[in-house]
Amino acid sequence: MAGTRGTDGTRGNDKPVPTRMEPPVGADSAPFWAATRESVLLVQWCTDCDRGIFYPRSFCPMCGSSGSGLEWRTASGRGTVYAATTENNPAATGVTFSNGEPYVVALVDLEEGVRMMTNVVGCPTDDVHVGMAVEVTWEPLTDGRQLPLFTPASGQGPAAGPAGGSK
Amino acid sequence: MPRVDRTLRGASAVVGIADDVSPTGELDRTGRALEVAMILEALDDAGLSLSDVDGVCHAESSMGLAEYLGIHPRFTDSTMTGGSSFEVHLEHAAAAIAAGVCDVVVSVYASTPRSDRTQKRPVTRRFPGGPNPMAEWEWPYGMRMPMGPYALAASRHMHQYGTTSAQLAQIAVSTREWAVRNPRARYQTPLTIDDVLASPMQSSPLHLLDCCLVTDGAGAFVLASAGRARSLRKPPVYVLGAATCHDHMMISQMPDLTVTPGTVSGANAMAMAGISPAEVDVLMGYDSFTITALLHLEDLGFCPKGEGGPFAADGKLGPGGSLPMNTNGGGLSFTHPGMYGMFLITEAVRQLRGEGEARQVPGAQMAVAHGSGMVLSCMSTAVLGTEATL
C-alpha cells in the first residue's frame, strides 16, 4: 500500500520510511515489478533462442529477437550463490536496512539461467558461501512493490543446485 | 587466424609526460589549473609548446579543456571508461596519428578527492547520462562502491581456484616494496603479509590493505607521430600495440567474474606489437585492488587462468623479481585519485627512458600499461617500447 499524505500535502505520520534506495522502474521492466506485488518472481524469456534475459530489455541481447519473441515466465525462485561479499562497514555505504550490522551482497544464479544481484538474508553472514542453494524471499518497498532477496533454501538441503532450467 | 593489423605499430610515440603526486596525498592545485600545469610540463618535457598541439583527449570534456587552453584541435576524444580512459585515449590518438588526422595529441587528468574532502570544496558527483540499470538492479542492495564488485570477483576466484587471502596480500607487499623506493609514494614503509591480513576486513574477502588509496593526483602525456618524435627532447617511447575491450558496465552483468575483457585487449595489443608476455620487462597493471592485479596476470597471459595466486606468491612482482609490476608503487601504495590509468603510462615511459631512479628496472625495453575501468568493465592495453624494439 502506498503511503498516505496529509490533507495539507505534507507527509502523514504513517508514511513508510525507506530503509534502502528503492529501485526505479525501467523502460522494459514494468511487468517484473508489478509481479513482485504478488510475491511472484518473473524472468523475461526469449522464445526464439530459449534463454532467460536479465535485466529486462526491449530485445534479446543474445539473438537479437524482439517483440513477439519475448515473454515473461514465472521463475522457480530457487538459485545458487555465484559470488558473495559481506559488507563489514555498513556506515561506508549509507544503507540503514541492516541496522548497522554487516550484511551480504551476492550474485545469485537462478535456475532459469540468469544472474541477479541481491542480499542473502535469514542466516548468519558467515554461513553464506559461493555454491550455496538459496530461494527467494520478499522485502516490502514503500510503494507496494517488493524487493527480491534470497535466503538459504528450505527442505531440499544442498541438493537444490544450479542445474536445470524451466523449459 | 585473423589478420593482425600493424598499422599502429611504431607509428606514434609518447614524447612527453608529467605527473604530480605527494606523499601527503594532497596537492595544492586543483581543477583546470592543475590540468594546465600538467599539460605545459609534459609539453616542455617533449620540447613542444601548446601551439604544436592539434589533438586533445579528456575523460570529461575535451571541448571544455581545449576552450580553456585556447586551442582549436582537429582530433578530439572525451572517452570516459573509468580508470582505463587514458589507455583508450592513447589507443585512439595512436590510430588518429597513424591515419594522418593529427600530429601531436595531449591527454590529461587531474583529480583531488583527498584535498576536496579536507578543504571542504563543493564537489559535484557525475554519473553517465542515459538509462541507469544500476539504480534498478544493484543500488538497492547496498553494495559498497567501488570495493564491492571486486570483493565479489575475489570471492568467486577463491571458490573456483582456491586463491587465498595471503596470496592476494603478497601483491600488496610486492607493490609496497616498489613504493619504498619511490620518494613520491604515499606509503613508503615496508609491509608484510601479516600486516595486510591484520588490516580491517572491508567488503569480504578484501582487507583494507587489499584496497587502493584515495589521494590527489594529476598527469598528462603527449603522443606524437614517429617522424615528429625523433626530433624532440627525450627518447621516444613507441606505441607498439594498443587494444581495448569491454564486456559489461555493472558487475552483475559481467559474464564470468574470474575472466576480464583483458583477455581480448591484451591478446590483441600483444599480437599487434608482435610480442609474447615473456618479452615484457615492466608490467603496469592497474591495481585498484589486489584481486584486480591478479586477474591481469592471468588474463594477459603471464600465467594460466586460476594460477595468479601461486604465481604472485614468490614475490616475483617486486624489485629484482622476474616480472616487475607497478614499479611506482601502484594504486595500492603510490597514488590513486580515482582514475589511475594515467600513471600506468607515465611510469612505463619513465622506465623505458631509464628515468626510474632507485626503482629503475635495468635495461627495460618493453612495457605494458594495462588499464582497468569501472568495475573490471573496460580493459585497455598498450604495449610500449624503446627505439630498439621497433
Side-chain angles (χ1 to χ4, degrees):
Chain A
M1 193 185 100
T4 58
R5 286 177 180 274
T7 51
D8 60 354
T10 59
R11 284 184 174 186
N13 288 335
D14 58 342
K15 171 77 175 177
V17 177
T19 59
R20 57 168 90 224
M21 204 215 84
E22 301 205 340
V25 178
D28 306 303
S29 50
F32 177 94
W33 290 111
T36 68
R37 296 174 184 271
E38 312 300 327
S39 302
V40 172
L41 183 65
L42 291 185
V43 170
Q44 193 184 30
W45 201 265
C46 175
T47 57
D48 286 335
C49 70
D50 200 28
R51 281 182 281 191
I53 301 168
F54 195 87
Y55 51 89
R57 290 164 167 88
S58 61
F59 85 121
C60 172
M62 293 164 284
C63 77
S65 177
S66 60
S68 62
L70 304 182
E71 65 178 33
W72 292 91
R73 293 188 179 179
T74 301
S76 72
R78 291 187 296 271
T80 306
V81 174
Y82 172 77
T85 177
T86 297
E87 182 44 66
N88 288 286
N89 190 358
T93 65
V95 305
T96 57
F97 61 75
S98 74
N99 297 312
E101 295 298 314
Y103 57 92
V104 174
V105 178
L107 298 176
V108 166
D109 286 341
L110 301 186
E111 285 188 339
E112 290 75 19
V114 300
R115 179 177 301 157
M116 62 188 299
M117 185 171 286
T118 191
N119 300 125
V120 177
V121 298
C123 65
T125 56
D126 285 351
D127 286 2
V128 180
H129 58 272
V130 177
M132 180 184 197
V134 291
E135 62 189 23
V136 73
T137 185
W138 297 95
E139 180 180 296
L141 300 172
T142 57
D143 62 358
R145 292 182 296 153
Q146 299 188 91
L147 192 67
L149 306 182
F150 284 78
T151 191
S154 58
Q156 309 298 319
S166 61
K167 292 194 174 178
Chain B
M1 273 288 281
R3 188 180 71 90
V4 177
D5 191 305
R6 292 271 162 77
T7 310
L8 269 56
R9 192 185 194 283
S12 63
V14 180
V15 295
I17 53 164
D19 56 24
D20 195 8
V21 302
S22 165
T24 66
E26 297 192 25
L27 299 176
D28 296 332
R29 298 173 294 194
T30 187
R32 284 277 189 252
L34 183 52
E35 289 177 339
V36 170
M38 291 298 99
I39 290 171
L40 296 180
E41 195 179 315
L43 287 167
D44 184 61
D45 185 48
L48 291 168
S49 67
L50 210 45
S51 59
D52 295 305
V53 175
D54 58 6
V56 168
C57 306
H58 189 272
E60 283 170 4
S61 172
S62 52
M63 275 196 293
L65 174 67
E67 176 184 276
Y68 191 90
L69 292 170
I71 62 174
H72 306 162
R74 49 203 168 107
F75 170 74
T76 189
D77 185 359
S78 297
T79 301
M80 210 301 277
T81 61
S84 58
S85 297
F86 310 100
E87 283 69 40
V88 177
H89 293 170
L90 186 83
E91 178 195 12
H92 292 179
I97 288 170
V101 172
C102 53
D103 201 41
V104 175
V105 180
V106 295
S107 173
V108 67
Y109 173 60
S111 178
T112 51
R114 193 169 195 93
S115 60
D116 288 348
R117 200 164 55 202
T118 58
Q119 305 297 315
K120 298 185 170 53
R121 296 187 194 112
V123 175
T124 36
R125 292 194 69 183
R126 300 175 198 78
F127 290 104
N132 183 2
M134 275 185 265
E136 190 172 9
W137 305 110
E138 290 197 346
W139 289 353
Y141 299 103
M143 180 173 60
R144 187 169 173 188
M145 288 295 281
M147 194 181 292
Y150 297 87
L152 289 170
S155 82
R156 186 68 200 178
H157 204 277
M158 287 177 165
H159 170 79
Q160 211 161 311
Y161 297 111
T163 307
T164 67
S165 288
Q167 289 168 344
L168 289 175
Q170 179 60 51
I171 292 176
V173 169
S174 293
T175 307
R176 181 65 63 86
E177 288 172 10
W178 287 112
V180 166
R181 300 171 175 223
N182 186 350
R184 298 197 304 155
R186 171 73 172 134
Y187 290 136
Q188 300 177 31
T189 52
L191 194 63
T192 67
I193 288 176
D194 286 344
D195 291 336
V196 179
L197 300 183
S199 65
M201 188 71 89
Q202 301 295 307
S203 303
S204 71
L206 299 179
H207 299 81
L208 186 63
L209 292 173
D210 284 304
C211 305
C212 63
L213 309 164
V214 178
T215 55
D216 295 357
F221 68 81
V222 183
L223 194 76
S225 61
R228 188 74 169 269
R230 291 193 176 92
S231 65
L232 298 178
R233 190 168 284 164
K234 294 282 180 72
V237 171
Y238 293 91
V239 177
L240 303 178
T244 299
C245 185
H246 50 86
D247 65 9
H248 65 284
M249 188 161 91
M250 57 181 183
I251 197 70
S252 56
Q253 292 283 303
M254 186 172 181
D256 180 341
L257 264 67
T258 67
V259 182
T260 74
T263 54
V264 176
S265 69
N268 287 347
M270 287 194 219
M272 184 186 289
I275 66 155
S276 68
E279 294 170 72
V280 175
D281 298 314
V282 177
L283 171 61
M284 296 301 298
Y286 199 119
D287 56 340
S288 48
F289 300 89
T290 50
I291 182 67
T292 321
L294 180 144
L295 291 170
H296 301 330
L297 295 171
E298 298 175 356
D299 292 344
L300 294 176
F302 290 99
C303 65
K305 177 51 64 183
E307 296 180 16
F311 181 78
D314 69 357
K316 69 166 65 65
L317 306 174
S322 58
L323 181 60
M325 183 177 79
N326 297 334
T327 53
N328 55 0
L332 293 169
S333 288
F334 173 60
T335 190
H336 196 285
M339 301 197 295
Y340 167 76
M342 176 60 76
F343 305 91
L344 303 172
I345 295 169
T346 55
E347 175 68 5
V349 169
R350 285 203 177 94
Q351 287 286 349
L352 297 180
R353 286 176 175 177
E355 296 176 348
E357 299 179 342
R359 61 189 191 281
Q360 179 65 43
V361 174
Q365 301 290 324
M366 186 96 67
V368 163
H370 182 65
S372 171
M374 303 297 283
V375 291
L376 298 169
S377 314
C378 181
M379 299 295 165
S380 187
T381 314
V383 181
L384 303 171
T386 63
E387 186 91 34
T389 64
L390 285 177

